[in-house]
């Protein structure tokens, strides 16, 4: 994880934050792996990228394809879990005058779950909807607070235990 990380975009404001650029070296250095969890997309909802939830999910699919097509020999291929991000709370955004996200960003995030689930089905991998377990904290409407981090961590733990059994 990295603050501001995108799926495939080099951010013109925040710099080199592309998950795609980071993924291959990460997979190589962490091998052997039992599972790979991809939970990206929130930062792609920033207005400057101009993407809707479907397009963002397609970018996540590209990352999943990299994971699934890679040669991990002599180790087995890891399981892939795609996690759709939590929904952005537009009401809290408005109170904080965030310059990166807007009400349109919040509206885009509502469709994450459906589109990410579709991409996971296409890839034949596992899926978890983070919004079913957690929501952004009151600080900014985007990031998890401690309570919601704990809720999501428990959901992820349970999902990974189910996958790896």
């Amino acid at each position: 994880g990295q603050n501001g990380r995108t799926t495939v975009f080099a951010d013109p404001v925040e710099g080199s934050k592309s998950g795609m650029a980071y993924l291959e070296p990460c997979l190589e250095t962490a091998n052997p792996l039992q599972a790979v969890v991809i939970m990206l997309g929130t930062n792609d909802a920033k207005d400057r990228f101009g993407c809707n939830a479907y397009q963002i999910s397609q970018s996540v699919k590209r990352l999943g394809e990299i994971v699934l097509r890679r040669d991990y020999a002599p180790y087995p291929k890891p399981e892939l879990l795609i996690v759709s991000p939590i929904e952005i709370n537009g009401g809290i955004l408005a109170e904080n005058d965030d310059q990166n996200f807007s009400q349109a960003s919040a509206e885009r995030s509502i469709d994450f779950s459906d589109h990410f689930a579709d991409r996971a089905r296409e890839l034949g991998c596992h899926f978890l909807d983070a919004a079913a377990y957690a929501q952004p904290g009151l600080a900014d409407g985007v990031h998890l607070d401690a309570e919601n981090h704990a809720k999501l961590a428990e959901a992820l733990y349970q999902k990974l235990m189910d996958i790896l059994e």
Side-chain angles (χ1 to χ4, degrees):
Q2 179 186 26
N3 288 344
R5 170 101 52 213
T6 64
T7 55
V8 299
F9 301 108
D11 192 315
V13 175
E14 296 185 43
S16 181
K17 301 283 187 152
S18 168
M20 181 173 280
Y22 176 73
L23 184 57
E24 280 286 347
C26 179
L27 294 172
E28 185 174 325
T29 58
N31 201 28
L33 298 160
Q34 289 183 290
V36 174
V37 178
I38 297 175
M39 183 178 165
L40 291 171
T42 301
N43 290 301
D44 295 43
K46 293 174 181 175
D47 292 333
R48 63 178 159 259
F49 296 116
C51 292
N52 61 35
Y54 171 78
Q55 293 163 327
I56 295 167
S57 74
Q58 287 294 106
S59 296
V60 169
K61 182 179 177 184
R62 287 182 67 195
L63 299 177
E65 289 169 343
I66 290 169
V67 171
L68 294 174
R69 291 181 181 158
R70 189 175 190 290
D71 180 11
Y72 296 89
Y75 306 106
K77 188 174 297 235
E79 296 289 334
L80 174 60
L81 171 60
I82 290 180
V83 181
S84 63
I86 60 172
E87 294 176 9
I88 297 167
N89 185 323
I92 296 172
L93 279 179
E95 295 171 14
N96 292 297
D97 191 31
D98 187 292
Q99 298 299 307
N100 290 307
F101 296 95
S102 67
Q103 187 61 40
S105 301
E107 290 168 12
R108 285 188 280 274
S109 75
I110 292 169
D111 294 327
F112 280 164
S113 179
D114 290 339
H115 290 294
F116 281 53
D118 289 345
R119 301 301 78 77
R121 274 190 293 279
E122 291 169 7
L123 290 169
C125 70
H126 306 278
F127 172 75
L128 180 78
D129 176 11
Y133 301 95
Q135 60 188 20
L138 299 176
D140 64 7
V142 177
H143 296 93
L144 295 167
D145 58 18
E147 176 185 347
N148 282 284
H149 265 289
K151 289 178 184 177
L152 182 56
E154 179 62 27
L156 282 167
Y157 173 80
Q158 291 300 322
K159 183 70 173 184
L160 285 167
M161 291 301 100
D162 290 345
I163 290 169
L164 297 174
E165 285 183 344

